[in-house]
Amino acid sequence: GGVGSTTLAVNGSALLAASGTVDGDVALCDAVLQLGNAAAFLGLAPDRDLADLVDGLDDLGALSTYLSHHRETGLRVLASPRDPRDAERIAPDDMSRVLVSLRRRFELVVVDCPPVLDLLTLAVLDLSETIFVVTEGITPTILATSVFLELLEEQGFGRPRVRVVLNRHSAIEGVLPRRMVEEELGRPVDHLLPDDKAALAAVARGTPVVMSRPKAPLSAAIGELAEGML
């Protein structure tokens, strides 16, 4: 939480949707059920969301009517509940059924998860082919990430499925170098993304940074990350 996971989920899925790399359509599901904002990162204001879809689970043939369309990239977005109180009505089984339905319709489904290992998040992880753990090179965050990775292994999510993403990396004082991060985590960093203030400006405009600044180092790094989603 707070380490840029939504930025990476939005930009990675948007880039894949726009590039045509994926042989089919791409969907982004915002599973941060309380105050998720993936749609806002894309400048979208959905009138239907995940809670509405759960209410209509008996009519999954109308799945596309619950998704927002980001016209610039072609990405389809299933937004988190507009009313955070609706999160209480979404059970882990509901989330599993939604993701299975999305997977049948789309070639690639990217899910933005909250930073907790509750039953709902575990339901998402059970259906995931690859799990990206996003962290930042700050000592308290890395210590928490180390514990989180151990919990994932205890739950049966071993290293072949888990990728470590070191986000907002820079050489400023207080940011741990990659080597120290890897020593603390006891495993290599799979993806390193540089700190770039352009990401904040892109969020403010509701435009993915990979679209507004495609040649920026951050956009290139997100491109490499997106390849890891395939």
Side-chain angles (χ1 to χ4, degrees):
V3 294
S5 56
T6 298
T7 295
L8 300 184
V10 167
N11 279 273
S13 57
L15 182 61
L16 289 173
S19 67
T21 304
V22 179
D23 187 19
D25 294 332
V26 180
L28 171 64
C29 174
D30 190 349
V32 183
L33 300 186
Q34 291 189 323
L35 306 177
N37 52 17
F41 276 49
L42 291 161
L44 299 173
D47 54 10
R48 306 188 84 177
D49 56 39
L50 179 55
D52 296 318
L53 177 54
V54 167
D55 288 338
L57 280 176
D58 293 332
D59 185 26
L60 285 174
L63 174 65
S64 61
T65 65
Y66 295 93
L67 306 178
S68 299
H69 183 208
H70 186 248
R71 297 186 182 281
E72 183 182 4
T73 61
L75 181 66
R76 302 285 178 167
V77 181
L78 180 56
S80 66
R82 291 160 291 172
D83 186 340
R85 292 169 293 190
D86 287 339
E88 299 176 359
R89 300 191 286 105
I90 302 175
D93 286 348
D94 296 331
M95 179 60 73
S96 295
R97 289 180 64 190
V98 166
L99 292 180
V100 168
S101 298
L102 287 171
R103 189 63 183 88
R104 288 173 178 166
R105 164 66 179 79
F106 293 92
E107 184 65 24
L108 177 69
V109 180
V110 178
V111 185
D112 187 20
C113 289
V116 292
L117 274 180
D118 57 10
L119 292 177
L120 192 139
T121 300
L122 289 172
V124 175
L125 299 184
D126 279 336
L127 293 170
S128 301
E129 296 179 4
T130 307
I131 300 166
F132 293 87
V133 177
V134 183
T135 188
E136 193 172 0
I138 300 172
T139 299
T141 305
I142 294 300
L143 293 175
T145 301
S146 180
V147 174
F148 189 79
L149 290 170
E150 291 176 3
L151 290 174
L152 283 178
E153 290 215 25
E154 289 177 8
Q155 294 295 327
F157 304 110
R159 294 195 178 194
R161 290 176 63 186
V162 177
R163 311 277 179 84
V164 174
V165 180
L166 184 57
N167 194 27
R168 298 175 184 156
H169 194 65
S170 70
I172 67 172
E173 184 178 359
V175 176
L176 300 176
R178 179 174 185 163
R179 174 184 55 79
M180 291 185 65
V181 170
E182 293 177 333
E183 289 177 357
E184 179 60 39
L185 299 181
R187 58 170 295 159
V189 167
D190 299 287
H191 300 280
L192 185 145
L193 291 95
D195 189 25
D196 190 341
K197 302 306 179 186
L200 293 175
V203 171
R205 292 192 299 267
T207 303
V209 69
V210 293
M211 299 291 108
S212 61
R213 292 190 58 191
K215 295 184 179 181
L218 176 59
S219 295
I222 290 175
E224 295 178 5
L225 174 67
E227 290 178 2
M229 296 179 180
L230 301 177

